[in-house]
Amino acid sequence: MPSLLARGAAPATAAGLVLALALAAASPATAAPGDVRVRVGVTGGSYTASVGLVSTSARTIGGFYCAADGINPTPLTALVDAEDQYGLGGVQTRWDTATQDYVVTEIHGDAASGTKKWNAYVNEKKITKGPCHTAIKGGDKVRWTLEA
């Protein structure tokens, strides 16, 4: 069997090997198609957090697919992924059949009630669609706030 060089392949250079190793070692946040990296914060209750970059993508949550326009990550996927990646102390949601979307009911023991609810903001603008119907993109800042 002829060697790769005999079949016309170029020899590997040190720079090429370094590049290949760097790409192989890239974090999953940059390697997986559809993933974006965002910042996530939680405020308004007794628990306040601002975590590092969170890798998020459209995904199934509790049996329902959460993706804006069927493909884009959302404020809710960012929150759930922040919980998975950094441990926010628990995120609870429920499916609302009327809106066909999720409602966040609790983050780190801070529960929504009849007078308070969890609202999502993207780049400091309150979302106007549900948390699974709002698209986010790389570099966005997502904040969940417990508000009256």
Side-chain angles (χ1 to χ4, degrees):
M1 176 173 196
S3 73
L4 288 176
L5 290 176
R7 288 188 278 164
T13 64
L17 288 174
V18 168
L19 177 61
L21 289 173
L23 291 174
S27 70
T30 58
D35 277 8
V36 299
R37 292 168 52 126
V38 298
R39 299 230 179 250
V40 176
V42 177
T43 62
S46 59
Y47 176 74
T48 298
S50 181
V51 299
L53 287 174
V54 173
S55 173
T56 191
S57 62
R59 63 182 277 178
T60 299
I61 299 172
F64 294 95
Y65 192 61
C66 184
D69 306 318
I71 56 172
N72 294 306
T74 69
L76 185 58
T77 63
L79 178 65
V80 171
D81 287 330
E83 165 67 13
D84 291 347
Q85 294 166 35
Y86 291 95
L88 299 177
V91 171
Q92 301 293 318
T93 62
R94 71 172 169 76
W95 181 254
D96 183 359
T97 55
T99 62
Q100 291 293 294
D101 208 335
Y102 280 97
V103 174
V104 173
T105 58
E106 185 176 308
I107 300 173
H108 193 82
D110 290 328
S113 66
T115 59
K116 296 188 273 184
K117 72 179 207 171
W118 284 102
N119 291 307
Y121 292 78
V122 176
N123 298 324
E124 299 306 320
K125 289 184 69 176
K126 187 174 181 179
I127 65 171
T128 57
K129 299 180 192 175
C132 283
H133 291 102
T134 302
I136 59 173
K137 61 187 181 317
D140 281 349
K141 293 178 184 175
V142 177
R143 178 173 46 91
W144 285 86
T145 301
L146 186 60
E147 298 174 314

